[in-house]
Amino acid sequence: MATNSNVPAVEPGIFGPRRRGDRGSRAPRLVEAQELWDIDDVASYLGVTKQTIYSWRTTGYGPAGFRVGKHLRWRAATVISWTVRLEENQ
């Protein structure tokens, strides 16, 4: 199977934010490396507010996101890799 070298590898078993509608479920959900997250997903995963994510973007901090039309999106692998690098640098 071919891999895309531009996408960071994510360890199997990485858990992401709960999706809308999962309010009653406390069980984490597995994340696909290519999955796209919106700002709600990123804020939920990082445990910060959406405003914090917007503020980080204006200062160049935080995981790199991109626009799909007028919508902001992040690859799950990018957000997870960013948090791993933060942890490694402490």
Side-chain angles (χ1 to χ4, degrees), residues 22-33:
D22 288 348
R23 304 238 187 268
S25 171
R26 298 293 295 170
R29 100 192 148 74
L30 290 174
V31 173
E32 294 288 326

Side-chain angles (χ1 to χ4, degrees), residues 74-87:
W74 290 260
R75 288 218 181 273
T78 302
V79 177
I80 294 166
S81 295
W82 180 78
T83 60
V84 168
R85 284 192 308 276
L86 282 179
E87 183 179 20

Side-chain angles (χ1 to χ4, degrees), residues 5-89:
S5 62
N6 294 332
V7 178
V10 175
E11 296 178 32
I14 297 291
F15 296 102
R18 291 186 305 167
R19 297 300 246 171
R20 290 174 210 80
D22 288 348
R23 304 238 187 268
S25 171
R26 298 293 295 170
R29 100 192 148 74
L30 290 174
V31 173
E32 294 288 326
Q34 296 295 323
E35 182 176 340
L36 293 180
W37 287 354
D38 62 18
I39 194 160
D40 292 315
D41 295 326
V42 176
S44 173
Y45 179 79
L46 297 176
V48 299
T49 65
K50 291 192 307 185
Q51 185 57 48
T52 297
I53 304 296
Y54 288 127
S55 295
W56 286 353
R57 279 186 56 81
T58 62
T59 62
Y61 185 73
F66 56 95
R67 289 206 172 272
V68 178
K70 66 178 185 175
H71 306 283
L72 284 172
R73 295 293 181 260
W74 290 260
R75 288 218 181 273
T78 302
V79 177
I80 294 166
S81 295
W82 180 78
T83 60
V84 168
R85 284 192 308 276
L86 282 179
E87 183 179 20
E88 289 171 349
N89 291 331

